[in-house]
Amino acid sequence: MIAGLLPTLAAAATPEPVDIPRDPARGAARDELSKPMYHQDDPSLFTRAYNWLLDRFQELVDRMTSVAPGGGFGIIVVLLVVVGLIIALRLRLGPLRAARGRREALFTSEGPRTAAEYRALADEAAARGTWDDAVQNRLRAVVRALEERAILDERPGRTADEAADEAGRQLPELAAALLSAALVFDDVRYGGRPGTEQMDLALRDLDTRCAAARPAHEPVAVGPDRTPR
């Protein structure tokens, strides 16, 4: 009798296999593996990002090496040339950047001069080939002439940039040329950029164009038998 019960007891003690569908089983495995206990030794986010960037850089170097003449040596030469260009550009732009940051009054404290007097000073400097002085006094002549015509109000502390901005609003067709002239003035006076004959000629032309320009706020004369245009 006991012998007959053994197969039954064995069958009861052995659990039947559980058949879990594939998708729920996969989800359960992901949930289990997402627990922190399985990731204590994983690299940090920073380490993973660093390794990714290092891999991309290595790929870039490998590609450049495969196409650059001379292989690895050619890459070194190219990098040295690029570094040299960056240094040269930095040295060139350094003084010009300083010119943007240090802006002083356009007119000096030597006392007011007329536009004609500034033009004469610019002509004398140009005759000597002293283009720095020629460029600076030429722009002063332009601004003083606009003040004499009441297009700009007389303000001794005005900078070249401020004068260009205010004059550009009154002479919109010359706004870009005025701003360019102010930048040249700043570069020459503060940034160590040498003045040139071409700069002086451009400012001469600007002086002539400003003299012929009509301010935007100037009213149009209206006669008894005419309507405004």
Side-chain angles (χ1 to χ4, degrees):
M1 179 175 179
I2 294 176
L5 292 175
L6 289 177
T8 303
L9 293 174
T14 303
E16 295 185 5
V18 179
D19 187 12
I20 302 177
R22 178 177 299 176
D23 290 341
R26 187 177 301 166
R30 280 199 303 265
D31 293 341
E32 177 65 22
L33 293 176
S34 66
K35 294 179 179 180
M37 61 181 295
Y38 295 104
H39 302 279
Q40 293 177 355
D41 298 324
D42 287 357
S44 65
L45 179 61
F46 174 81
T47 301
R48 294 198 299 272
Y50 173 79
N51 291 335
W52 184 87
L53 290 174
L54 194 61
D55 292 340
R56 301 293 81 74
F57 177 75
Q58 185 62 48
E59 291 176 3
L60 179 61
V61 171
D62 292 341
R63 291 175 185 172
M64 293 176 64
T65 303
S66 64
V67 299
F73 179 76
I75 290 295
I76 294 175
V77 173
V78 171
L79 290 176
L80 289 176
V81 171
V82 171
V83 170
L85 290 174
I86 292 173
I87 293 174
L89 187 62
R90 176 65 181 83
L91 293 175
R92 180 70 183 94
L93 293 180
L96 301 187
R97 188 178 294 110
R100 303 291 185 267
R102 187 176 69 253
R103 296 168 181 167
E104 299 175 358
L106 173 63
F107 297 110
T108 62
S109 57
E110 298 174 356
R113 288 191 171 98
T114 65
E117 289 174 328
Y118 279 119
R119 290 190 189 102
L121 290 173
D123 291 342
E124 293 172 5
R128 297 191 307 268
T130 311
W131 300 113
D132 289 8
D133 292 339
V135 167
Q136 294 177 54
N137 284 311
R138 195 75 66 188
L139 182 63
R140 292 187 180 110
V142 170
V143 175
R144 181 63 79 198
L146 294 176
E147 291 178 347
E148 291 173 353
R149 294 173 58 193
I151 294 176
L152 293 177
D153 62 310
E154 293 189 16
R155 182 150 51 87
R158 179 190 283 122
T159 66
D161 300 311
E162 291 170 343
D165 180 64
E166 295 170 20
R169 288 197 292 268
Q170 299 299 325
L171 305 173
E173 71 278 10
L174 297 177
L178 287 163
L179 176 59
S180 177
L183 294 177
V184 167
F185 178 92
D186 287 343
D187 289 347
V188 171
R189 185 175 183 186
Y190 310 119
R193 182 180 179 182
T196 65
E197 183 178 5
Q198 288 71 26
M199 293 177 185
D200 183 58
L201 290 174
L203 286 170
R204 285 175 184 266
D205 179 67
L206 178 61
D207 193 10
T208 301
R209 293 167 66 191
C210 285
R214 186 176 184 174
H217 73 282
E218 187 176 74
V220 179
V222 180
D225 56 348
R226 299 175 59 188
T227 58
R229 290 179 295 176

